[in-house]
DNA sequence: AATGTTTTTATGTGCATACATAATAATTTG
DNA sequence: CAAATTATTATGTATGCACATAAAAACATT
């Protein structure tokens, strides 16, 4: 049996893990040994094992060797796209509707999360994303205008802040939180759902270096699901 | 300026993307060109660019070249661990309590998802995971006993099905769906929260090849958040 | 026995080279 | 001129080799 490319090495290793040939927490053979067994270069084995380690199925430590992850912390990857694309991917017609756009002092909770002072100029944008003319997601966003002065002259009436920011403003990293929230009267009205309905909420805080660029909450209709595989 | 290792090449490429030196959808120099500029081997550049492509920031196609992803589909990775570990990681004391364990014909919706017939022997397990003696998550699980006969003799009174399955039953892949659900009377009672409260629900369907192993729904307390970065 | 030092070893990475592969561009052919 | 063919090219990957690095194990020292 020979496994010449890293994909087939990976598959074989995966098979042994799933078949419990190599047990939880157990040390597996070294790269050199596997390379010999599989009849390929150590580099090839390394590539395969590295990929599996990234996926969380193996734990690797120098000198200590490679072992099957005791608790396979499943890494479920969520693809978070621009909402317009998300809607299009579902085969629905995308619609956008601006609800409100105004300079406003952000509430304390938002200021705290964004780490800005009380008198920081912030722009508040609220908008509705639609799929086939029915509400899809409600966007509630705060933008730090000191960081993104261009936002001041952007009306956000035809292009969503979601999309505009991603295309025009650089960022270094972001935090995401997913939670459930009961719809209040306002949200229920916009999303055309009963009050108190359970909505999926995605909060995103985007940073450029040490400065918060924008904070957004997306509220989805009650049936909405985030799907992924592992 | 020389960038000798793949991490610094990656950083530099990232910097140019964020700084908009290379624009959205724009072609970036070829691996060979970058290798020359950075004074390193093409392999090194390849490693850096490949990692960025996996992260969704670059689109690469043979011959066509590498371009900055037009819509950086953010890949948010959720770490889905065993609940006991999740609780422990929050610095809380883990508790477990079996609510119900019985052979039961699964409802049609469950049978449909698991693709089993109406007379398939299924085990139903319901349990509560606790953090510091307060409810943390409600687990509602169906196990196909034809696929996992060992489950028949497992009481699940001290070790959760969540944990037992992960450690004893092989699987090949799984589907995950995240949604929001309003608590019904039963769920509210178990989780000590008001009826109709918005709960975060994680549904997982685990497969071994073409056969469903188990289907589980985890319901979390209203305040619960899934966090990740990008 | 407790502590510090050296050796060993498995993984991590870089490099030059070679060839594979897919997609495009150029060319030939009907 | 359109269609089929061939060349070109950027990425994808395999290989042997070298050396770096972290961590364990062995050893020496007090």
């Amino acid at each position: 049996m020979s496994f010449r490319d890293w994909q087939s090495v990976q598959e074989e290793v995966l098979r042994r893990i799933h078949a419990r040939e190599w047990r939880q927490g157990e040390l597996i053979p070294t790269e050199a040994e596997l390379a010999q067994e599989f009849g390929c270069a150590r580099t090839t084995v390394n590539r395969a094992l590295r990929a599996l380690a990234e996926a969380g199925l193996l734990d690797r430590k120098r000198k200590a060797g490679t072992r099957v992850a005791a608790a396979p912390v499943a890494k479920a990857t969520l693809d978070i796209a621009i909402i317009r694309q998300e809607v299009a991917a579902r085969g629905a017609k995308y619609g956008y509707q601006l609800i409100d756009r105004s300079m406003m002092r952000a509430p304390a909770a938002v200021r705290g999360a964004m780490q800005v002072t009380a008198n920081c100029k912030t722009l508040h944008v609220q908008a509705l994303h639609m799929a086939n003319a029915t509400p899809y997601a409600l966007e509630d966003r705060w933008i730090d205008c000191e960081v993104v002065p261009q936002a001041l002259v952007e009306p956000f009436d035809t292009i969503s802040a979601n999309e505009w920011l991603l295309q025009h403003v650089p960022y270094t990293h972001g935090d995401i939180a997913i939670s459930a929230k009961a719809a209040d009267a306002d949200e229920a009205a916009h999303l055309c759902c009963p009050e108190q309905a359970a909505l999926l909420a995605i909060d995103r805080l985007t940073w450029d270096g040490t400065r918060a660029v924008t904070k957004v909450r997306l509220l989805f209709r009650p049936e909405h699901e985030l799907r992924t595989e592992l």
Side-chain angles (χ1 to χ4, degrees), chain A:
Chain A
M1 211 102 71
S2 100
F3 302 90
R4 273 245 166 56
D5 52 77
W6 73 268
Q7 287 97 334
S8 37
V9 170
Q10 189 186 41
E11 272 170 37
E12 174 61 11
V13 170
L14 248 183
R15 191 191 63 71
R16 293 186 187 181
I17 294 173
H18 284 141
R20 300 290 197 272
E21 284 179 34
W22 293 334
R23 299 288 172 127
Q24 301 255 350
E26 201 175 88
L27 266 179
I28 74 172
T30 68
E31 292 185 348
E33 287 163 349
L34 287 175
Q36 181 152 29
E37 181 192 340
F38 292 148
C40 66
R42 183 171 78 89
T43 325
T44 308
V45 175
N46 180 281
R47 180 89 154 81
L49 298 188
R50 189 173 9 103
L52 288 171
E54 272 166 23
L57 280 117
L58 294 175
D59 283 333
R60 322 194 71 199
K61 262 200 323 211
R62 278 174 161 149
K63 158 76 184 177
T66 302
R67 45 187 76 234
V68 180
V73 177
K75 297 216 192 303
T77 307
L78 293 176
D79 288 347
I80 301 188
I82 290 177
I83 298 180
R84 182 171 56 75
Q85 294 186 320
E86 204 175 298
V87 170
R90 294 180 179 229
K93 190 172 175 301
Y94 176 74
Y96 171 77
Q97 193 180 313
L98 181 65
I99 296 169
D100 177 59
R101 177 199 181 284
S102 52
M103 293 300 298
M104 209 184 278
R105 215 176 83 168
V110 171
R111 292 202 308 269
M114 293 180 77
Q115 296 181 18
V116 295
T117 59
N119 53 6
C120 172
K121 281 188 182 302
T122 50
L123 179 65
H124 180 242
V125 179
Q126 204 175 21
L128 191 63
H129 299 268
M130 287 172 295
N132 287 338
T134 66
Y136 180 80
L138 183 62
E139 175 177 346
D140 187 280
R141 182 184 293 271
W142 296 91
I143 302 171
D144 184 340
C145 292
E146 292 170 19
V147 178
V148 195
Q150 318 100 285
L152 288 167
V153 295
E154 184 63 41
F156 296 122
D157 52 351
T158 55
I159 184 172
S160 74
N162 176 271
E163 193 159 351
W164 183 84
L165 281 164
L166 224 64
Q167 299 198 343
H168 294 87
V169 184
Y171 66 94
T172 54
H173 64 289
D175 302 319
I176 294 180
I178 300 170
S179 58
K181 181 187 183 302
D184 64 23
D186 196 48
E187 291 155 0
H190 286 305
L191 289 171
C192 298
C193 68
E195 217 173 312
Q196 293 303 311
L199 308 177
L200 196 65
I202 298 185
D203 289 281
R204 204 178 335 174
L205 190 51
T206 305
W207 301 86
D208 189 18
T210 58
R211 301 211 56 175
V213 175
T214 181
K215 180 181 188 308
V216 64
R217 159 163 276 190
L218 291 168
L219 285 173
F220 293 88
R221 286 187 55 90
E223 326 80 52
H224 193 78
E225 279 186 344
L226 289 176
R227 301 196 142 277
T228 180
E229 292 178 10
L230 79 158

